[in-house]
Amino acid sequence: MARQVIVDVHATDRDEDERFELAGRLRAELLELDVAGVEFAGGGAAPAGSKADAVTLATILLTLGASGGVFTTVVGAVRDWLLRQPEPGVVVDVTIDGDSFRIEGAATDERRRLLDAFVERHRAGPS
């Protein structure tokens, strides 16, 4: 059974275009993973010069296949992408099965343990 993961990119002190660009770069990396689909919540790229909804444009919908291990890979890819962001203030919320977790670039040991627990809860699929 396919599962959907919602990935929301947030960036303080960034305008809509910059958030969309950040989300586009993350989406490009997620496309390289073994997932069934990676789309923007709005269904595609915003037209040039449009005032499209920034929340929708910075939201990526991933469809996972039957393999539970893919979710672990997705979360790892998001975390690694965040660590490579040169400017502070970028965070990503990952939601699966109604459960969300905010991933930040530099995490404390406690946040890493919480992230590991979040991944473990959802790795095998819904119960």
Side-chain angles (χ1 to χ4, degrees):
M1 174 181 196
R3 299 170 69 199
Q4 194 161 61
V5 177
I6 302 167
V7 178
D8 290 309
V9 178
H10 302 277
T12 57
D13 300 326
R14 307 286 173 86
D15 65 21
E16 295 173 4
D17 290 337
E18 290 171 315
R19 284 186 61 209
F20 180 64
E21 181 180 325
L22 284 167
R25 291 196 311 245
L26 176 55
R27 179 181 176 271
E29 290 193 25
L30 295 173
L31 280 167
E32 296 179 18
L33 303 178
D34 186 22
V35 295
V38 182
E39 299 296 330
F40 285 110
S50 74
K51 296 289 183 188
D53 178 7
V55 172
T56 301
L57 292 178
T59 301
I60 302 166
L61 304 177
L62 283 90
T63 303
L64 304 181
S67 170
V70 174
F71 182 64
T72 304
T73 304
V74 167
V75 170
V78 169
R79 186 191 59 237
D80 292 347
W81 177 84
L82 273 171
L83 288 171
R84 291 192 310 275
Q85 297 313 300
E87 295 143 12
V90 179
V91 297
V92 176
D93 291 332
V94 176
T95 304
I96 186 169
D97 301 331
D99 190 12
S100 296
F101 191 87
R102 176 161 281 187
I103 302 174
E104 301 167 353
T108 63
D109 287 342
E110 177 66 18
R111 291 293 293 170
R112 279 191 286 278
R113 282 192 296 277
L114 291 171
L115 178 58
D116 290 345
F118 173 75
V119 169
E120 187 59 31
R121 268 194 315 273
H122 299 288
R123 186 175 55 82
S127 44

